[in-house]
Amino acid sequence: MQLNLSHNLLVDLEKPYKFPSLSVLDLYSNKLHGEIPIPPESVTYVDYSSNNFNSSIPVKIGNKYTFAFLFSLSSNCLIGTIPES
């Protein structure tokens, strides 16, 4: 299943985040802010770039998505360090 909400004017996502078993989650080019939404482990493609997320990257995020071939967080307002995972 794929969810593409790119190029909209979304500013927030309703919490708690409840994504079904997605393979693609594309939120590119919105105005989303706050914490980075944690997608389901089934995801292989995540694009959160060109938003206003302003949290740090979760420390173990790389351990959770071993099958992802793209996980983009570019062009946000992230803080902290890039985790080794």
Side-chain angles (χ1 to χ4, degrees):
M1 181 179 282
Q2 300 180 7
L3 179 60
N4 185 338
L5 296 172
S6 61
H7 297 281
N8 286 288
L9 299 174
L10 300 174
V11 295
D12 205 1
L13 297 173
E14 187 175 320
K15 293 180 186 177
Y17 306 122
K18 292 185 180 182
F19 299 117
S21 295
L22 294 174
S23 59
V24 174
L25 178 56
D26 191 345
L27 298 175
Y28 172 78
S29 192
N30 281 287
K31 297 183 181 295
L32 297 168
H33 59 91
E35 294 180 10
I36 298 167
I38 303 299
E41 290 185 27
S42 61
V43 76
T44 57
Y45 180 102
V46 178
D47 193 348
Y48 291 165
S49 56
S50 297
N51 279 286
N52 294 315
F53 291 118
N54 56 357
S55 64
S56 59
I57 301 169
V59 174
K60 300 198 184 253
I61 199 160
N63 297 337
K64 195 171 186 176
Y65 304 103
T66 55
F67 296 106
F69 65 88
L70 177 88
F71 198 109
S72 181
L73 294 166
S74 66
S75 298
N76 278 283
C77 300
L78 301 176
I79 58 172
T81 59
I82 299 172
E84 288 185 35
S85 68

